[in-house]
Amino acid sequence: MTNFETNEKHLSQIPALQLLISLGFEYITPTEALHERQERTSNVLLENILRSQLKKINCIRYKANEYLFSEENVQSAIQKLKNIKYDGLLKTNEAVYDLLTLGTALEQTIEGNSRSFNLNYIDWRNPQRNRFHVTIEYSVQRSRSTETARPDIVLFVNGIPFCVIECKAPQVEVEQAVSQSIRNQNDDYIPKLFIYTQLVLAVNKNSAMYATTGSAAKFWGIWKEPQMEAGGRKFGKLQEFVNKPLENHTLARIADTLNTNPVSLKTDRLVTEQDKAIYSLCRPDRLLELTWKFTIFDGGIKKIARYQQYFVIKSTLNRVKQFDSNSSRKGGIIWHTQGSGKSLTMVMLARNLALNTEIMNPRIVLVTDRDDLDKQLGNTFAACGLEANRATSGRNLLELVAEKQSGIITTLIHKFDKAFAVKKYRCESPDIFILVDESHRTQFGSFSARMRQMFPNACYLGFTGTPLLKKEKNSFGRFGELVEPHYSITQAVEDGAVVPLLYEGRHVEMTQNKKAVDLWFERLTQGLTKEQKADLKRKYARAEMLNKADQVIYMRAFDISEHYRSNWQGTGFKAQLVAPNKVAALRYNSNLNEIGIVSSEVVISPPDMREGYDETDDETTDDVVKFWQKMMKRYGNEEEYTKQLINQFKHGSEPEILIVVDKLLTGFDAPRNTVLYLCRILREHTLLQAIARVNRLYEGKEFGFIVDYVSVLGELDKALTMYSAFEGFDESDLVGTIASIKSEIDKLPQRYSDLWDIFKSVKYSYDEEAYEVLLADDELREEFYGRLSEYSKTLAVAFSSDRFLFETDDKTLFRYKADLRKFQLLKASVKKVITEKMGEDPAFYEKFSKLIQQAIEDFRAKRISDLDYLEKVVDIRDKVVGKVHDDVPKKLTGNEDAMAYYGVLKPFFEKHDLDESDLESIAADTAIAIHSILKAHQKVQFWDDEDALKQTVNEIDDYLYDELKAGKSIELSLDQMDKIIEKVLQVAKHRSYRLSHIKLHKAKGRRLYCNTPTTDNAVKFNM
């Protein structure tokens, strides 16, 4: 029987490489690639390939003749790409992207005339005219260093690195590959490679994630290709590529590079998730298409399409090429849930329409019904490098459309009515595309009729971020059918495109029940000093002096202050408060300021503009007018007032809470926004849009929270359509929209139990060292970290709930918090021990880690008793503490440094055909020799002295080559020698730092507590 491999090389890197070659990439070995780079690891372009391709895909067409670009111009184009000035990763990548997509203008004299002609680096419209290469172990010199980093796989288009793939073994989480890719993009690693890349992948056999250059970990996504399940059309095609035989000389070159047997590369295998991702994202035509048509820079941040954006745009493009009986292009409705990138889908669709050769000179009109949405869309297009003209009036709209002055126009829907009043304009062109945002609001009424009168044959495409009401579904025949794939909230949460929403109804209206109020107040103000509690008690008592309406607002403001302080203040997360009208908004702001715990600002529209309020307060009260005048005096105009407060909320530490009425309930995107305090009754689309303000992704954000003070959804203990706010929807369209906070809190007892279950074998609960010894096992430690994280997050949710605090007894609350703190301290202690000890002598500690794991498995399987298990663990602990090496050659006795090096060296020599005694002797002699070399160069700040380090490396390298390779005929490759030196120096560095710390503490006459972390009284929930 042939043994199967379980490592990264055989289960991820080699299969990925074989598939890429089958898909059309030419394999180039690392040595060949280095030759193309003029033998310099600091150069990342394959220059000879690039040069030949620039000549092949470019020519100058002049007076019906074709001419080649001069050698000088070709070299100039290469230098422009190669020597681009580094200005930070993303700015430089954007400059490279512009060069790649737009080409570069070069002056050349043809037939005596000197003119500028455009030279392109890529032939985007004809993928087959480009050359695609793949290499592995691509060494790139690090910034300001002689060291290199080696991505697993790099894909090139015309010699330009386009895609970097990090591979992992199936037992290693793909998130580790994501982390490695992000690290490599940092300024102190190899950004010089990533300024050219367009796509990055992290893969193992069972999963894959993708992103584009500069993407934070939370924005890496998964790709779901239709018809890719077993039996699907694309699956069958992929299966053929996966098992397509490669030429023998290609297999031999791969085997030689990776030091493996060519025979092992010829086996048939099943399709994996890794294969699906590589086929979907990296096949040559798809790689170019994603780069050219589906990648944008949004305000300096690079973004690549998610799968639902890509496929709905492809479906839309296919649909608009079809005509109905009235000679109009077929339109439709695109439903992509809020927060999933709907505005960027509109941008990408506009870009694809503009680049489509089958649609000549398309005119694209983006229509909304709100001024802030109109501005936002215009800004999004501008930020993405597409020029969109904003219609300032009906007359201006007419000029822009009628005189064909603009390819992209943004406008408010009511301007069609005004434009038609100016001139009875009618255009029957089918190449006008009307993209209507939040189309459930804007497609009805006279304004929509005017739009269709002016453009009877236009293609109408509606976009909505919320599901359609039942009554709306029948009315959307004007747009056409739903364009698939639609993208519901359930799919978005499942994909990690948005965070799930948790709902809590809170009631803090009245103060009649003094006992209940005292208990509520005590729970709410846990952690405050007596003085702080007394101060809050005085402020709380002020509610009794107010009239009923003002008392309600004050009590809610008080509760909001304390809720935000207890759970969110200082975390960087923000909140939004929805007030019923402008007067109430100002009162909430005044009360929050008076209580003085959280900072807040009010963003409203001018007092003379009615916005469909649910309550009939007089909006032109003196307070509202005075507030508005004050804002105009401070900011100059409405636009600047709104813009500055939004920027402060998004990017500054204050305001912590933004108070709104109607404005900023739609189209407002602030990822830090985490809590929505509902103090106003909302229904249907407005409610769905409002709650989506807090579903955006942000670092450390697990949920968005909806805190309801007006019983919109009561206790959320029945189907959503049972509530009047949602009764107009189909239940199936609302699945996954929002969940009761109780559903998450109900998980707390089980997660608490799961966490303690890890330590059930510990006999004495107060024996901290027994916990630490148990967690020396890697697998168990990772399980502990995972369970602690889950428990911490769930406890944080529970402590944010008024009902949980009220219904849970003090003893249980104390136990939950105290145990969290205990486990957090244990985690910190274990991390410190593991990091320090494993670095000092990895082989020694790994060995005892395995012994502990074996003892745990024997105990769980009931192969040993409680007493035997305890004796084994104590014996292991004693050997670890006493540093008992019972399996090293005698010649190393007393030399702990050499013992540590021996443990690192031995696995390298085990790969060679040596008997056990020779193996141990050679490994021990090498360890002693390396120890002597390091000792000879030992001096103060040795690790910061580059010259001393280089000399040391050279001497170790000489020893390995002269004594082992030449003297003892041990066939160590250069790569193996590099890895030996790297590993040994890592251990030596750890040990030298530990020694210097010990000396420092001894000199000061203090005992060194190696594994006692500092503590404080605060319990931090976020892990």
Side-chain angles (χ1 to χ4, degrees):
M1 181 181 286
T2 304
N3 290 331
F4 63 87
E5 300 283 354
T6 59
N7 57 35
E8 172 188 308
K9 180 169 71 175
H10 285 89
L11 291 186
S12 182
Q13 190 179 28
I14 291 174
L17 181 59
Q18 289 176 306
L19 176 57
L20 287 162
I21 295 169
S22 295
L23 290 172
F25 287 85
E26 299 174 53
Y27 177 60
I28 181 170
T29 68
T31 304
E32 291 164 347
L34 191 60
H35 179 67
E36 285 284 334
R37 301 154 69 191
Q38 286 77 51
E39 310 296 334
R40 293 201 300 271
T41 55
S42 59
N43 182 15
V44 298
L45 299 173
L46 308 182
E47 286 191 33
N48 293 331
I49 294 170
L50 176 57
R51 182 176 290 102
S52 66
Q53 280 302 106
L54 293 185
K55 292 176 182 178
K56 176 185 173 183
I57 67 173
N58 289 285
C59 70
I60 297 170
R61 291 180 175 84
Y62 184 74
K63 293 183 178 179
N65 293 316
E66 290 188 356
Y67 301 86
L68 296 177
F69 277 94
S70 67
E71 289 288 343
E72 183 184 359
N73 270 336
V74 170
Q75 186 58 33
S76 176
I78 293 172
Q79 291 304 117
K80 192 173 284 192
L81 188 63
K82 180 180 176 181
N83 298 331
I84 198 156
K85 183 182 177 185
Y86 187 75
D87 186 21
L89 178 64
L90 281 172
K91 277 189 178 179
T92 315
N93 187 274
E94 185 171 6
V96 168
Y97 183 82
D98 289 342
L99 267 180
L100 296 181
T101 53
L102 303 175
T104 182
L106 297 167
E107 194 171 289
Q108 188 158 324
T109 302
I110 306 289
E111 297 180 8
N113 292 319
S114 186
R115 286 180 50 189
S116 283
F117 299 95
N118 207 56
L119 179 144
N120 293 306
Y121 294 93
I122 309 289
D123 189 338
W124 298 103
R125 295 192 184 278
N126 302 288
Q128 70 281 1
R129 296 190 69 218
N130 303 287
R131 280 186 75 187
F132 300 87
H133 289 85
V134 58
T135 192
I136 52 179
E137 302 298 328
Y138 191 66
S139 291
V140 180
Q141 185 177 322
R142 287 179 55 180
S143 304
R144 300 176 294 278
S145 171
T146 56
E147 293 181 4
T148 60
R150 284 185 304 191
D152 294 322
I153 299 175
V154 180
L155 309 184
F156 298 85
V157 181
N158 295 342
I160 303 163
F162 251 59
C163 175
V164 175
I165 304 175
E166 288 297 339
C167 304
K168 292 295 173 192
Q171 64 271 23
V172 178
E173 296 291 335
V174 77
E175 285 77 12
Q176 284 195 30
V178 171
S179 178
Q180 189 173 334
S181 179
I182 292 171
R183 182 207 67 183
N184 283 343
Q185 295 174 55
N186 288 342
D187 279 353
D188 58 344
Y189 267 79
I190 50 172
K192 65 185 74 175
L193 173 64
F194 290 93
I195 62 173
Y196 298 101
T197 56
Q198 308 303 318
L199 185 68
V200 284
L201 269 73
V203 299
N204 68 22
K205 179 172 77 75
N206 301 317
S207 60
M209 300 183 79
Y210 79 102
T212 189
T213 311
S215 298
K218 63 179 177 292
F219 294 120
W220 284 61
I222 56 173
W223 186 274
K224 295 180 180 178
E225 187 88 6
Q227 300 178 340
M228 193 53 89
E229 296 310 311
R233 179 175 56 82
K234 290 182 183 176
F235 182 88
K237 198 170 183 180
L238 172 57
Q239 182 77 65
E240 291 176 18
F241 280 117
V242 164
N243 290 312
K244 178 181 176 182
L246 301 185
E247 294 180 3
N248 286 333
H249 80 277
T250 301
L251 291 173
R253 289 161 69 219
I254 295 171
D256 184 58
T257 302
L258 292 172
N259 195 24
T260 191
N261 188 340
V263 176
S264 68
L265 306 180
K266 290 187 176 183
T267 55
D268 283 355
R269 60 182 182 81
L270 299 176
V271 169
T272 65
E273 290 302 314
Q274 171 179 295
D275 295 325
K276 293 177 184 178
I278 288 173
Y279 175 77
S280 301
L281 294 162
C282 298
R283 63 182 190 264
D285 57 333
R286 181 68 66 81
L287 178 61
L288 292 189
E289 184 185 28
L290 286 171
T291 300
W292 190 34
K293 296 180 178 178
F294 293 91
T295 298
I296 57 174
F297 285 83
D298 181 8
I301 298 172
K302 193 174 188 183
K303 297 179 180 179
I304 192 166
R306 292 181 182 271
Y307 72 90
Q308 76 275 5
Q309 294 171 316
Y310 174 84
F311 288 112
V312 84
I313 289 170
K314 298 288 282 186
S315 294
T316 304
L317 290 173
N318 288 333
R319 187 168 178 76
V320 302
K321 290 173 188 174
Q322 303 168 36
F323 290 84
D324 61 21
S325 56
N326 298 319
S327 299
S328 299
R329 295 181 185 276
K330 288 186 176 181
I333 294 289
I334 295 170
W335 168 27
H336 278 201
T337 197
Q338 297 169 94
S340 65
K342 180 166 57 72
S343 295
L344 293 181
T345 303
M346 296 177 81
V347 173
M348 290 177 186
L349 176 58
R351 182 170 183 167
N352 274 266
L353 288 170
L355 290 171
N356 197 301
T357 53
E358 296 178 43
I359 303 170
M360 300 303 292
N361 302 317
R363 280 174 286 163
I364 301 161
V365 184
L366 294 103
V367 183
T368 67
D369 69 344
R370 294 180 66 97
D371 190 55
D372 52 349
L373 289 179
D374 184 39
K375 286 177 184 173
Q376 185 199 358
L377 270 177
N379 291 339
T380 301
F381 271 77
C384 296
L386 294 177
E387 186 181 349
N389 285 268
R390 192 169 176 233
T392 56
S393 64
R395 187 180 297 275
N396 181 233
L397 172 62
L398 200 59
E399 291 169 357
L400 291 170
V401 178
E403 297 175 19
K404 301 181 182 180
Q405 289 183 359
S406 176
I408 302 173
I409 303 160
T410 68
T411 183
L412 294 169
I413 192 167
H414 70 266
K415 288 176 183 169
F416 283 96
D417 203 37
K418 293 181 179 178
F420 199 74
V422 172
K423 180 183 177 182
K424 302 294 185 285
Y425 176 78
R426 182 180 174 88
C427 177
E428 297 187 0
S429 169
D431 294 333
I432 294 174
F433 296 85
I434 311 287
L435 277 55
V436 186
D437 191 25
E438 297 301 346
S439 46
H440 54 78
R441 290 201 307 263
T442 54
Q443 88 99 23
F444 303 109
S446 64
F447 297 149
S448 174
R450 285 283 182 260
M451 187 166 64
R452 293 175 181 275
Q453 271 183 291
M454 292 172 69
F455 306 109
N457 294 332
C459 178
Y460 289 88
L461 295 162
F463 286 77
T464 179
T466 56
L468 302 178
L469 290 163
K470 285 182 279 191
K471 65 183 180 184
E472 292 172 341
K473 289 185 176 181
N474 296 328
S475 308
F476 268 80
R478 298 186 184 189
F479 278 103
E481 32 185 87
L482 190 67
V483 181
E484 295 292 356
H486 73 279
Y487 197 59
S488 68
I489 184 69
T490 307
Q491 292 167 288
V493 170
E494 183 183 305
D495 291 345
V498 298
V499 296
L501 298 176
L502 294 180
Y503 170 91
E504 180 182 24
R506 284 173 83 98
H507 308 281
V508 293
E509 308 293 347
M510 293 296 92
T511 59
Q512 288 92 342
N513 186 338
K514 188 175 185 307
K515 186 176 179 182
V517 168
D518 286 345
L519 179 59
W520 167 80
F521 186 88
E522 191 61 35
R523 293 274 169 84
L524 201 65
T525 57
Q526 279 187 14
L528 297 184
T529 63
K530 286 184 179 180
E531 292 76 13
Q532 289 171 323
K533 286 185 180 181
D535 181 52
L536 279 178
K537 202 96 173 182
R538 283 193 296 273
K539 290 172 180 174
Y540 179 80
R542 190 174 103 67
E544 297 174 6
M545 299 182 284
L546 302 173
N547 62 41
K548 172 72 174 172
D550 286 345
Q551 189 179 84
V552 168
I553 290 177
Y554 187 89
M555 290 299 299
R556 288 178 185 167
F558 187 91
D559 190 64
I560 287 167
S561 286
E562 280 304 303
H563 182 262
Y564 184 85
R565 177 196 65 79
S566 302
N567 300 288
W568 313 111
Q569 199 162 52
T571 63
F573 295 124
K574 301 292 188 79
Q576 208 170 343
L577 189 159
V578 186
N581 54 60
K582 291 170 185 170
V583 174
L586 297 182
R587 286 178 185 156
Y588 275 111
N589 179 235
S590 173
N591 289 333
L592 288 171
N593 288 343
E594 182 183 328
I595 294 165
I597 292 172
V598 299
S599 57
S600 65
E601 294 285 356
V602 178
V603 175
I604 54 174
S605 54
D608 60 338
M609 287 180 63
R610 290 187 173 272
E611 299 174 296
Y613 296 122
D614 301 327
E615 300 179 22
T616 56
D617 293 71
D618 181 3
E619 289 301 301
T620 55
T621 62
D622 287 346
D623 285 345
V624 177
V625 172
K626 283 177 183 175
F627 170 80
W628 189 256
Q629 290 170 344
K630 181 181 175 183
M631 292 300 103
M632 292 306 98
K633 189 174 180 181
R634 179 182 300 172
Y635 296 104
N637 56 55
E638 180 191 354
E639 185 174 352
E640 197 61 26
Y641 150 68
T642 305
K643 178 182 170 184
Q644 287 204 31
L645 286 182
I646 286 175
N647 281 338
Q648 289 168 28
F649 182 74
K650 282 185 175 183
H651 308 296
S653 57
E654 294 184 347
E656 293 164 308
I657 297 178
L658 202 60
I659 303 170
V660 301
V661 181
D662 272 349
K663 207 165 188 176
L664 307 187
L665 286 188
T666 59
F668 176 51
D669 189 1
R672 297 169 71 180
N673 198 7
T674 303
V675 195
L676 186 76
Y677 294 111
L678 270 182
C679 300
R680 170 188 171 191
I681 295 172
L682 300 175
R683 299 187 74 251
E684 297 180 342
H685 292 301
T686 310
L687 177 56
L688 287 174
Q689 288 170 324
I691 64 177
R693 295 315 100 212
V694 294
N695 76 353
R696 305 308 199 261
L697 300 179
Y698 193 74
E699 202 67 50
K701 181 174 170 181
E702 297 292 329
F703 300 98
F705 292 83
I706 312 301
V707 181
D708 177 11
Y709 288 95
V710 288
S711 294
V712 174
L713 299 177
E715 297 300 325
L716 197 59
D717 51 1
K718 51 190 175 184
L720 287 176
T721 49
M722 298 296 288
Y723 297 95
S724 61
F726 287 136
E727 63 187 356
F729 292 101
D730 284 322
E731 182 66 33
S732 60
D733 288 342
L734 295 178
V735 172
T737 297
I738 192 169
S740 169
I741 197 170
K742 185 177 182 298
S743 65
E744 189 65 20
I745 294 171
D746 286 346
K747 300 172 185 174
L748 183 61
Q750 187 60 52
R751 287 186 172 162
Y752 179 70
S753 174
D754 289 345
L755 182 56
W756 269 109
D757 192 53
I758 290 174
F759 303 100
K760 63 186 178 184
S761 61
V762 175
K763 192 168 184 179
Y764 302 107
S765 61
Y766 51 81
D767 184 1
E768 185 183 349
E769 195 163 356
Y771 288 86
E772 288 185 5
V773 168
L774 192 67
L775 294 178
D777 172 67
D778 291 344
E779 191 176 327
L780 199 66
R781 188 169 63 255
E782 288 305 315
E783 184 67 23
F784 165 63
Y785 290 163
R787 293 189 190 183
L788 176 58
S789 176
E790 290 301 309
Y791 171 64
S792 173
K793 290 169 187 173
T794 307
L795 188 61
V797 170
F799 269 77
S800 75
S801 167
D802 183 46
R803 185 170 177 176
F804 173 80
L805 293 174
F806 195 78
E807 294 179 353
T808 310
D809 62 82
D810 287 337
K811 185 178 178 183
T812 303
L813 291 175
F814 177 80
R815 178 164 48 86
Y816 278 148
K817 282 206 298 186
D819 285 356
L820 173 65
R821 186 63 183 150
K822 172 180 178 176
F823 286 124
Q824 285 176 330
L825 290 172
L826 177 63
K827 177 183 176 182
S829 173
V830 167
K831 270 192 168 180
K832 189 173 178 66
V833 170
I834 294 295
T835 303
E836 289 181 355
K837 300 298 182 187
M838 287 297 283
E840 289 171 24
D841 195 342
F844 176 79
Y845 288 102
E846 188 178 341
K847 169 193 165 186
F848 285 106
S849 174
K850 287 176 180 174
L851 288 174
I852 290 170
Q853 177 61 26
Q854 186 60 52
I856 291 167
E857 288 173 2
D858 289 345
F859 176 69
R860 284 177 176 168
K862 299 185 177 178
R863 290 191 288 266
I864 58 175
S865 66
D866 291 19
L867 186 61
D868 290 337
Y869 170 72
L870 186 62
E871 286 177 354
K872 275 195 174 189
V873 170
V874 170
D875 181 53
I876 292 167
R877 183 190 67 186
D878 290 343
K879 286 184 176 179
V880 169
V881 173
K883 293 297 294 288
V884 178
H885 290 80
D886 51 10
D887 57 352
V888 297
K890 286 184 178 179
K891 64 176 76 173
L892 296 178
T893 304
N895 190 340
E896 283 199 11
D897 288 337
M899 288 182 194
Y901 306 148
Y902 172 81
V904 169
L905 291 164
K906 192 177 177 185
F908 284 98
F909 298 127
E910 284 172 344
K911 297 174 184 176
H912 299 273
D913 190 19
L914 298 168
D915 62 47
E916 188 62 27
S917 61
D918 286 344
L919 171 67
E920 289 187 359
S921 178
I922 290 169
D925 290 342
T926 306
I928 293 168
I930 289 175
H931 173 61
S932 300
I933 292 169
L934 284 162
K935 195 171 181 181
H937 291 282
Q938 187 177 340
K939 65 174 189 174
V940 177
Q941 295 184 326
F942 166 75
W943 297 103
D944 298 321
D945 188 329
E946 286 191 18
D947 292 334
L949 272 172
K950 278 183 187 175
Q951 193 174 347
T952 305
V953 167
N954 288 338
E955 287 188 26
I956 297 174
D957 191 64
D958 288 344
Y959 179 88
L960 296 175
Y961 192 89
D962 297 340
E963 297 296 326
L964 300 182
K965 187 167 185 175
K968 298 189 184 297
S969 300
I970 298 173
E971 288 301 317
L972 289 172
S973 67
L974 294 176
D975 191 40
Q976 285 177 317
M977 291 184 195
D978 287 344
K979 285 181 178 174
I980 286 173
I981 294 170
E982 182 186 347
K983 290 275 188 187
V984 167
L985 289 183
Q986 281 177 357
V987 172
K989 192 171 184 179
H990 272 285
R991 296 182 70 80
S992 70
Y993 282 159
R994 177 192 63 103
L995 189 62
S996 62
H997 287 164
I998 291 172
K999 286 178 179 176
L1000 177 66
H1001 280 264
K1002 281 182 178 177
K1004 292 183 177 179
R1006 292 204 303 260
R1007 181 181 173 188
L1008 176 65
Y1009 289 87
C1010 289
N1011 60 354
T1012 305
T1014 56
T1015 64
D1016 55 53
N1017 294 321
V1019 177
K1020 295 179 181 174
F1021 294 113
N1022 296 324
M1023 300 301 292

